[in-house]
Amino acid sequence: AEGNALDAAGTNNGTIVGGVTYAPGEVGQAFSFGGVNGYVSVPTSPALNLTNALTIEAWVEVNNLNTYYFIATKGPSGTAGNNYSGNFEFRIAPNGYMQLLHQTSTGGALATYTAAKAVTTGVFHHIAVTLVSGGDVNFYLDGVSAGTFSQQGTFGLTNSQPVRNGTRADFFSYFNGLIDELSIYNRALSLNEIASIYHAGSGGKNMAPEIVTLPQSQTVMQGSNASFSVTASGAPLLAY
C-alpha cells in the first residue's frame, strides 16, 4: 500500500473507495479495511482479464471470520448476476478456508475450489492460489501447499468489471482487517516461488528464478578457461 493505491509493478493503479486507511503491514504499510464500506477498485485492462493461468497472492490479517471476505474479485461475466465470480473470485470463507471461484459459462455456471488449511484471526498469513487452465488449482498457506485440485470447466471468461479488493460486485461484505502486497499474475507461480515470497517476509517480493537448463560438465587443460551457460526463466508480477 505504502500510503496509496498505486500499482508498484505496472500501470494498474487503484482507487480507494469508502473507509480504507493504512496501518503497519508485513511489508511496509498495508491497506486497513474496517468491514463497513471500504474497498480498492482497479479499472479493467487486458492485463487483468486472465485467460490461461493465474496466481493471486497476498499477506492478510483478518480481524474475525464472521462472513466471506473477498481478497480479489473480477466479476461477473456475461449475463450472470453481481453475486457471480466472473473471471475470478479469491476469498476467505467464514471457517477460515481460502476459496477460488470462476464462472464456467456466461450464464452463471461456476466452479468452486476450497483449500485444505485455514487462516486464523489476528495474525498475518501469506495466502496464495494458482490455476492453470486444463491443469491444476493449488492453494498455499504460509509458504506450503494447502490443497491441489483439478481445474474444472471453462476458465477465462473475461469482462469489463474492475478488480475489487475487499469486496465484490454485489457488495455482499467488506473486508475487515489488513491486506498487504496483493499481487496478481498471468501465470501459475511454482511452490518454490511462493515459498520464497513467504520466507522473504518483511523484505518483500524475492522470487528466485526457475532454472531451465543446467550448465554442462566440461573438461579443460589446467590453466585454461572454461565457459558455462545456464538458462533461467521468470516473470514480474502482473499487478500489485
Side-chain angles (χ1 to χ4, degrees):
E2 310 317 321
N4 59 62
L6 300 180
D7 182 356
T11 59
N12 295 296
N13 296 321
T15 300
I16 289 176
V17 181
V20 180
T21 58
Y22 303 96
E26 179 67 24
V27 184
Q29 288 186 308
F31 290 117
S32 179
F33 299 85
V36 178
N37 63 356
Y39 64 99
V40 177
S41 179
V42 183
T44 189
S45 73
L48 293 174
N49 272 311
L50 306 179
T51 56
N52 297 310
L54 67 74
T55 299
I56 306 172
E57 52 95 5
W59 289 95
V60 301
E61 179 180 320
V62 291
N63 291 332
N64 58 60
L65 292 169
N66 295 339
T67 186
Y68 289 96
Y69 285 134
F70 303 96
I71 309 302
T73 67
K74 194 176 193 305
S77 294
T79 58
N82 284 340
N83 59 327
Y84 279 82
S85 51
N87 197 199
F88 56 82
E89 180 178 303
F90 186 35
R91 69 189 189 188
I92 297 173
N95 56 9
Y97 289 84
M98 293 174 281
Q99 293 185 320
L100 177 70
L101 296 80
H102 63 81
Q103 281 180 234
T104 57
S105 77
T106 56
L110 56 84
T112 303
Y113 315 89
T114 302
K117 298 178 181 179
V119 304
T120 54
T121 61
V123 295
F124 267 112
H125 290 284
H126 185 262
I127 61 173
V129 65
T130 69
L131 177 151
V132 175
S133 182
D136 289 333
V137 174
N138 286 281
F139 291 96
Y140 302 92
L141 178 62
D142 294 335
V144 299
S145 175
T148 299
F149 308 90
S150 296
Q151 189 268 314
Q152 302 294 318
T154 300
F155 172 74
L157 297 177
T158 61
N159 56 63
S160 60
Q161 292 286 327
V163 173
R164 296 177 176 90
N165 306 326
T167 192
R168 68 180 183 189
D170 66 345
F171 307 112
F172 176 86
S173 70
Y174 296 93
F175 194 85
N176 192 333
L178 305 176
I179 298 179
D180 196 10
E181 293 283 286
L182 173 63
S183 301
I184 302 172
Y185 310 72
N186 63 355
R187 66 184 182 92
L189 298 189
S190 68
L191 171 59
N192 287 342
E193 289 175 305
I194 297 292
S196 70
I197 295 172
Y198 169 69
H199 289 295
S202 61
K205 297 290 187 293
N206 184 28
M207 293 183 295
E210 292 284 300
I211 303 300
V212 177
T213 305
L214 293 171
Q216 299 299 306
S217 298
Q218 298 186 43
T219 301
V220 298
M221 297 294 294
Q222 184 176 358
S224 300
N225 294 326
S227 297
F228 298 90
S229 63
V230 62
T231 304
S233 69
L237 60 159
L238 186 73
Y240 72 92

